[in-house]
């Protein structure tokens, strides 16, 4: 079987392909397909961590494209008893046409892609969440148009997988990214330097005054699924809560974004997430459209639609 294309990270995908995937996502959202490009194809979803949005949007998206889906929990397959992730990829490639994995350390994603002979999609690792940020960029484009020169502000945990994918996107879409976080939870230096070398305009500071005039304000949970230091995180991240006062610092038209699930009263207050600037439900919906486009791109079908 010929391997098509993996979607492992935004920074590991050609810039032109990122734009092509997003163009297709917008198109798929506007007009339902008259044909079934994934007819006869099967997608396997492997989850080593919980999920609501990723699971349902991939399952529904693949079915809408005419394909089939099998969803596997890491604990219930032999992966949980020590079969290597590469061997799991080798075997599943004999049955299915595309694989998606949500896992812990990103080396497991890369090992799966090494072993698999079919495309592999990153459905979140400890280090990144590219499918989420493709949907986020799509949502921001719907609301604000071209993101070039826009001011994007990230509040809270600076060592966060969703933020890392926003950092990967920064040089591609040419927005400025201002990370506001405590010194204890800053982005990985290696990632910051690499993205800055690629032309990303990213600043890191602990001062919420840097949220001034933001076009987009983003946050995520303080304790990600792979974090164990919950008490320390709650204490150090509390000053970075997105509340009405913080949103007042941003531009009046600013969007509030969050990948969800949200922890109301922690990283964001009810009035902000339920307020008129919040686009979190559109973000969630756009997981469906963005991932349908990613699936088609992985199978080399972007021109067929
Ligand atoms: N945002 C996101 O990936 O949600 P789930 O964890 O529910 O999949
Ligand atoms: N940073 C969060 C994202 C959840 C979608 C986590 O990894 O738990």
């Amino acid at each position: 079987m010929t391997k098509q294309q993996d979607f492992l990270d935004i920074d590991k995908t050609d810039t032109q392909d990122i734009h092509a995937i997003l163009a297709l996502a917008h198109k798929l959202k506007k007009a339902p397909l008259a044909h079934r490009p994934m007819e006869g194809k099967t997608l396997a979803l492997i989850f080593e961590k919980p999920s609501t949005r990723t699971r349902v949007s991939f399952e529904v998206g693949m079915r809408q494209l005419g394909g089939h889906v099998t969803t596997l929990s890491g604990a219930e397959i032999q992966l949980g008893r020590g079969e290597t992730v590469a061997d799991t990829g080798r075997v599943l490639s004999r049955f299915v046409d595309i694989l998606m994995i949500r896992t812990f350390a990103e080396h497991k994603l890369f090992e799966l892609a090494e072993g698999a002979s079919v495309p592999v999609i990153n459905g979140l690792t400890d280090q990144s969440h590219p499918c989420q940020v493709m949907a986020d960029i799509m949502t921001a484009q719907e609301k604000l148009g071209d993101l070039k020169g826009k001011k994007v502000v990230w509040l809270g945990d600076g060592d966060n997988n969703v933020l890392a994918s926003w950092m990967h996107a920064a040089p591609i879409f040419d927005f400025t990214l201002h990370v506001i976080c405590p010194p204890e939870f800053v982005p990985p230096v290696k990632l910051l330097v690499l993205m800055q070398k690629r032309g990303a305009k990213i600043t890191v500071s602990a001062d919420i005054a840097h949220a001034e005039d933001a076009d987009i304000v983003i946050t995520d949970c303080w304790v990600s699924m792979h974090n164990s230091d919950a008490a320390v995180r709650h204490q150090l991240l509390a000053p970075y809560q997105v509340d009405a006062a913080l949103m007042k610092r941003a531009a009046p038209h600013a969007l509030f974004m969050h990948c969800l699930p949200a922890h109301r009263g922690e990283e964001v207050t009810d009035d902000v997430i339920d307020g008129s600037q919040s686009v979190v439900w559109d973000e969630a919906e756009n997981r469906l459209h963005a991932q349908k486009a990613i699936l088609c791109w992985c199978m080399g079908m972007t021109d067929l639609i």
Side-chain angles (χ1 to χ4, degrees):
M1 192 183 290
T2 310
K3 185 155 187 182
Q4 307 265 341
Q5 312 175 81
D6 296 326
F7 185 73
L8 299 181
D9 263 321
I10 289 176
D11 71 322
K12 290 185 173 60
T13 306
D14 281 353
T15 295
Q16 280 182 340
D17 287 336
I18 293 291
H19 289 298
I21 292 168
L22 282 165
L24 180 59
H26 286 290
K27 199 167 153 185
L28 288 171
K29 184 170 181 175
K30 282 189 192 111
L33 283 182
H35 61 299
R36 297 160 60 86
M38 293 288 175
E39 182 114 49
K41 308 282 184 209
T42 300
L43 164 69
L45 304 171
I46 306 170
F47 285 97
E48 294 201 278
K49 291 174 179 171
S51 169
T52 300
R53 280 144 287 267
T54 305
R55 175 177 176 163
V56 177
S57 53
F58 267 113
E59 288 186 350
V60 171
M62 187 62 177
R63 288 192 190 117
Q64 286 180 357
L65 292 168
H68 304 276
V69 188
T70 181
T71 300
L72 308 163
S73 142
E76 284 163 6
I77 58 176
Q78 294 290 5
L79 189 59
R81 281 183 20 93
E83 184 168 28
T84 70
V85 72
D87 285 350
T88 304
R90 286 182 188 103
V91 170
L92 290 179
S93 297
R94 301 293 177 105
F95 304 132
V96 306
D97 305 278
I98 318 181
L99 293 169
M100 187 236 68
I101 188 165
R102 166 168 288 194
T103 188
F104 290 89
E106 65 182 357
H107 71 81
K108 292 180 80 177
L109 164 77
F110 302 142
E111 282 163 26
L112 182 72
E114 247 341 274
S117 55
V118 299
V120 171
I121 298 174
N122 176 355
L124 180 146
T125 67
D126 297 353
Q127 282 74 28
S128 65
H129 197 0
C131 291
Q132 177 67 53
V133 172
M134 291 296 279
D136 293 356
I137 297 284
M138 179 183 175
T139 310
Q141 288 174 334
E142 284 176 336
K143 311 288 177 192
L144 302 176
D146 188 355
L147 301 184
K148 186 178 168 63
K150 295 282 189 278
K151 179 171 179 178
V152 178
V153 169
W154 175 278
L155 262 294
D157 179 15
D159 186 12
N160 176 283
N161 44 11
V162 177
L163 170 61
S165 290
W166 271 97
M167 290 171 71
H168 292 157
I172 299 174
F173 297 95
D174 206 16
F175 50 79
T176 63
L177 179 58
H178 303 259
V179 182
I180 305 179
C181 60
E184 292 81 358
F185 296 114
V186 291
V189 175
K190 213 170 135 188
L191 171 64
L192 181 63
V193 171
L194 183 65
M195 287 306 119
Q196 285 171 336
K197 271 194 192 142
R198 289 192 189 173
K201 300 178 192 93
I202 305 175
T203 66
V204 181
S205 121
D207 185 357
I208 59 167
H210 286 113
E212 228 65 54
D213 294 327
D215 296 292
I216 303 176
V217 174
I218 319 172
T219 192
D220 188 13
C221 60
W222 290 339
V223 186
S224 284
M225 292 182 272
H226 61 281
N227 295 141
S228 51
D229 45 354
V232 178
R233 286 176 162 269
H234 276 96
Q235 190 195 339
L236 295 174
L237 292 165
Y240 300 89
Q241 182 186 63
V242 180
D243 58 11
L246 188 288
M247 288 305 290
K248 277 211 175 68
R249 292 178 181 269
H253 64 261
L255 308 176
F256 171 72
M257 302 187 80
H258 190 309
C259 65
L260 305 177
H263 297 73
R264 289 164 177 263
E266 294 182 13
E267 74 272 9
V268 62
T269 53
D270 283 337
D271 54 343
V272 171
I273 196 168
D274 296 328
S276 59
Q277 290 170 275
S278 172
V279 295
V280 299
W281 317 119
D282 294 321
E283 265 182 278
E285 179 191 330
N286 285 339
R287 296 292 302 277
L288 175 70
H289 310 296
Q291 287 160 196
K292 283 166 76 176
I294 291 167
L295 289 167
C296 291
W297 176 81
C298 286
M299 297 301 284
M301 292 176 178
T302 36
D303 294 340
L304 302 179
I305 292 162

